[in-house]
Amino acid sequence: MIFFFIGMPFVFVIGLSIGICSTMFSLILFLCYANNIPLTKPMHIGVEMFLQMSKFWFRLRRKPFRITKNMFEQSMSNLEIKNIKHDITKEKYPYVRILPTTKPTQQAQFWDDLLYKEKEKNFIAELKKPYKSSRISKLRAHMQFSEPMFTMVDNNTTINVEIIKNIACHWIEYQGASIDNGVILCSHGGGYVAGMPSMQYNLCSYLSKLTGCICLSVDYKLCPEGLITDCVNDVFDVYKYLIQEHMVKSKRIAIMGESAGGGLSLLLLQKIRDYNNNHENTNDDTDNKYLGNPGCCWVNSPWTDLSMETESCLKNNIGDAMLVNDPNKYFQRMAVGEIDINAKKRRSIKSMIQKGNYSQKSTDEMLKDPSHSPLYGEWNDLCPIYFMVGATEMLVDDTLKAAKKAYDCGVKIKVDIEPFMHHTWPLFLRTLPEAQYAVVRASDFIMEHLSIS
């Protein structure tokens, strides 16, 4: 009897532990099956469980939406947005829509709250510290850690990596899609110093399903190992390859990118236009023959002005759930080749200055150079462009100023301003219903201009 009473608590604890573990395992199996997550991918399982538990806790606390009425009104008082709102007759801005100011979904409110906490914890805190070269590797590691958010794709999606012109390119194809419908050439974001094509897997899978096209995400050279001009050249080489060797007609190619990838996409359009102007009458069998403009371009939250001195960059620093504005502009200065990873003047520039072969430009001049910031480039003779941006994000002026320039040059332009959405929200398809709405609108635009029936 004594042994029974001594052993009973031990047996109870063991039984309870087994019961809890069995229940947890059953929940994991249920979660994986319901969300199409393979059991062979523990990181994906961990991310999904973390998100579900965070959503539960967010709803339990009944926390109000992070963007207050004052924050929203401040973002809408931006001069560019005010001009659009005052254009009641749509004479000056017929290409812009400010979408309804209905309250974001519960999922969007949760996600905005989570992103802002990550911004405070990782990015704002990092800017308060003295600069170290490890800031680049930390950002890359952070984005790599977030990868499972973007790689949980539908089972009907096939992903293959092909080396094109020494550049790794990721083909994302939904079952039933065909290159005959077209190719969507994609450039990922990451401030030119981080990011990877896998960030676009989920978005590309969805685009491929909705449009019937195949997506091709380019693993372009990052900075400071390369420069922005190298990034543009990489994507241009792939565009050229598609036309000259894959025999894809230029009008069957759509260009797509978000954030820095959006800026890169716009720089690509300008480079294609300039190349075509220089090879207009060249139709021989050489590599230098005329290419033609792509069918269209969709960019969301594009980074068009590396100086980050616009009104929205200053006003929306708190409203923006993701971006921070580094007063020292280290990443931008690395991307344009002014400084190296240690924030020192590049040796090549020092050498040219000493030899008198280089007319030294100021930081501002380098950041606003048309080869780095598409806002300051020429906007004539480009394909139709669809911009999406959130009203409370720092880069809203980057979109509105670029779209205005393009429209004034006769380019077919469409702009959607989402009142409460954060930077690059269409990427987050597994979390945001608003992201799905955005991608549906973008797919319609692409199908229209690639003449997909």
Side-chain angles (χ1 to χ4, degrees):
M1 184 66 71
I2 295 174
F3 291 110
F4 173 75
F5 284 111
I6 293 173
M8 189 170 62
F10 179 73
V11 172
F12 175 76
V13 170
I14 294 294
L16 182 64
S17 300
I18 292 172
I20 291 172
C21 290
S22 300
T23 303
M24 288 294 293
F25 183 70
S26 299
L27 283 173
I28 290 172
L29 283 176
F30 175 78
L31 190 68
C32 291
Y33 186 78
N35 289 278
N36 196 31
I37 305 171
L39 288 172
T40 53
K41 295 188 176 180
M43 277 294 292
H44 291 71
I45 296 170
V47 167
E48 192 63 34
M49 288 189 68
F50 168 75
L51 289 176
Q52 296 300 332
M53 291 172 68
S54 298
K55 284 180 186 177
F56 172 79
W57 180 240
F58 180 82
R59 294 193 67 180
L60 193 65
R61 289 184 299 163
R62 297 188 177 183
K63 192 173 181 181
F65 186 33
R66 184 186 64 86
I67 298 176
T68 63
K69 183 180 179 181
N70 287 339
M71 287 167 61
F72 176 68
E73 288 176 350
Q74 179 173 308
S75 66
M76 296 302 283
S77 69
N78 176 296
L79 181 61
E80 297 291 331
I81 294 180
K82 280 172 69 176
N83 289 339
I84 293 165
K85 289 174 71 177
H86 291 158
D87 182 29
I88 300 172
T89 59
K90 290 282 184 180
E91 290 180 6
K92 292 184 179 179
Y93 303 94
Y95 54 92
V96 181
R97 291 191 305 182
I98 299 177
L99 298 180
T101 55
T102 51
K103 193 172 183 179
T105 59
Q106 191 76 30
Q107 294 96 315
Q109 293 180 52
F110 153 73
W111 191 244
D112 178 272
D113 183 72
L114 183 67
L115 286 176
Y116 192 76
K117 285 178 182 175
E118 286 295 306
K119 171 181 169 176
E120 287 184 312
K121 177 183 172 183
N122 294 295
F123 304 122
I124 294 177
E126 186 66 30
L127 287 185
K128 291 178 181 177
K129 301 174 185 176
Y131 175 80
K132 293 182 180 178
S133 59
S134 60
R135 188 177 290 183
I136 298 276
S137 58
K138 283 181 182 178
L139 176 60
R140 291 179 181 176
H142 182 78
M143 297 188 83
Q144 193 72 44
F145 183 77
S146 305
E147 186 185 41
M149 270 298 306
F150 309 105
T151 54
M152 291 188 278
V153 297
D154 193 292
N155 283 339
N156 295 313
T157 304
T158 303
I159 298 169
N160 292 301
V161 180
E162 179 184 358
I163 304 300
I164 299 173
K165 307 286 185 180
N166 295 318
I167 306 158
C169 297
H170 298 230
W171 292 96
I172 302 102
E173 177 181 355
Y174 199 88
Q175 187 175 334
S178 169
I179 201 168
D180 294 334
N181 291 324
V183 175
I184 303 174
L185 184 59
C186 311
S187 300
H188 64 79
Y192 293 110
V193 299
M196 54 277 177
S198 54
M199 290 170 56
Q200 296 183 317
Y201 281 0
N202 209 354
L203 173 58
C204 286
S205 171
Y206 213 79
L207 280 173
S208 180
K209 172 178 171 51
L210 292 176
T211 64
C213 299
I214 300 177
C215 294
L216 183 61
S217 185
V218 182
D219 193 7
Y220 57 83
K221 186 180 293 181
L222 296 177
C223 306
E225 293 87 345
L227 304 177
I228 287 182
T229 47
D230 297 317
C231 305
V232 179
N233 289 336
D234 281 354
V235 185
F236 177 76
D237 285 345
V238 175
Y239 178 79
K240 198 174 178 182
Y241 168 86
L242 288 173
I243 294 170
Q244 294 183 347
E245 299 189 41
H246 243 295
M247 300 304 170
V248 180
K249 293 179 180 178
S250 64
K251 293 300 180 186
R252 286 287 186 181
I253 299 176
I255 308 297
M256 187 274 282
E258 73 281 342
S259 192
L264 177 54
S265 296
L266 296 171
L267 287 170
L268 173 65
L269 296 186
Q270 293 171 351
K271 183 177 178 69
I272 292 169
R273 184 267 324 279
D274 293 343
Y275 177 91
N276 287 334
N277 288 342
N278 293 328
H279 298 83
E280 199 162 1
N281 299 314
T282 309
N283 285 305
D284 54 27
D285 292 330
T286 67
D287 284 344
N288 296 318
K289 65 181 180 181
Y290 181 82
L291 296 175
N293 272 344
C296 64
C297 175
W298 170 46
V299 286
N300 60 86
S301 308
W303 196 12
T304 68
D305 182 359
L306 267 60
S307 71
M308 294 191 76
E309 294 171 348
T310 61
E311 182 186 358
S312 63
C313 278
L314 301 174
K315 273 189 173 182
N316 293 354
N317 60 323
I318 296 176
D320 195 306
M322 291 180 69
L323 296 183
V324 293
N325 194 351
D326 177 9
N328 295 302
K329 301 177 171 56
Y330 287 126
F331 289 172
Q332 297 102 298
R333 290 164 64 198
M334 288 177 204
V336 303
E338 182 191 7
I339 58 174
D340 61 19
I341 195 169
N342 298 306
K344 306 294 184 184
K345 281 280 185 184
R346 279 187 179 258
R347 289 183 180 180
S348 56
I349 291 180
K350 278 185 179 178
S351 175
M352 286 190 286
I353 292 172
Q354 290 167 358
K355 292 177 182 177
N357 298 330
Y358 183 84
S359 56
Q360 190 169 10
K361 292 182 178 181
S362 67
T363 297
D364 193 58
E365 287 175 319
M366 292 186 76
L367 296 179
K368 292 181 178 180
D369 189 293
S371 62
H372 304 143
S373 291
L375 177 63
Y376 302 101
E378 298 295 327
W379 288 87
N380 57 292
D381 302 322
L382 302 181
C383 67
I385 308 172
Y386 186 8
F387 293 86
M388 288 186 190
V389 71
T392 57
E393 64 168 297
M394 292 169 66
L395 298 188
V396 64
D397 280 349
D398 284 52
T399 279
L400 298 180
K401 288 176 181 290
K404 181 73 166 65
K405 279 194 169 186
Y407 178 77
D408 289 344
C409 288
V411 178
K412 187 176 180 182
I413 295 296
K414 182 178 181 180
V415 178
D416 277 351
I417 302 174
E418 268 278 14
F420 298 109
M421 285 299 101
H422 59 74
H423 185 64
T424 66
W425 80 96
L427 277 178
F428 301 93
L429 284 154
R430 288 192 73 91
T431 307
L432 299 179
E434 286 87 345
Q436 296 178 19
Y437 310 153
V439 178
V440 169
R441 294 197 300 271
S443 298
D444 285 342
F445 177 82
I446 291 170
M447 290 180 70
E448 177 190 346
H449 289 93
L450 267 54
S451 301
I452 302 170
S453 55

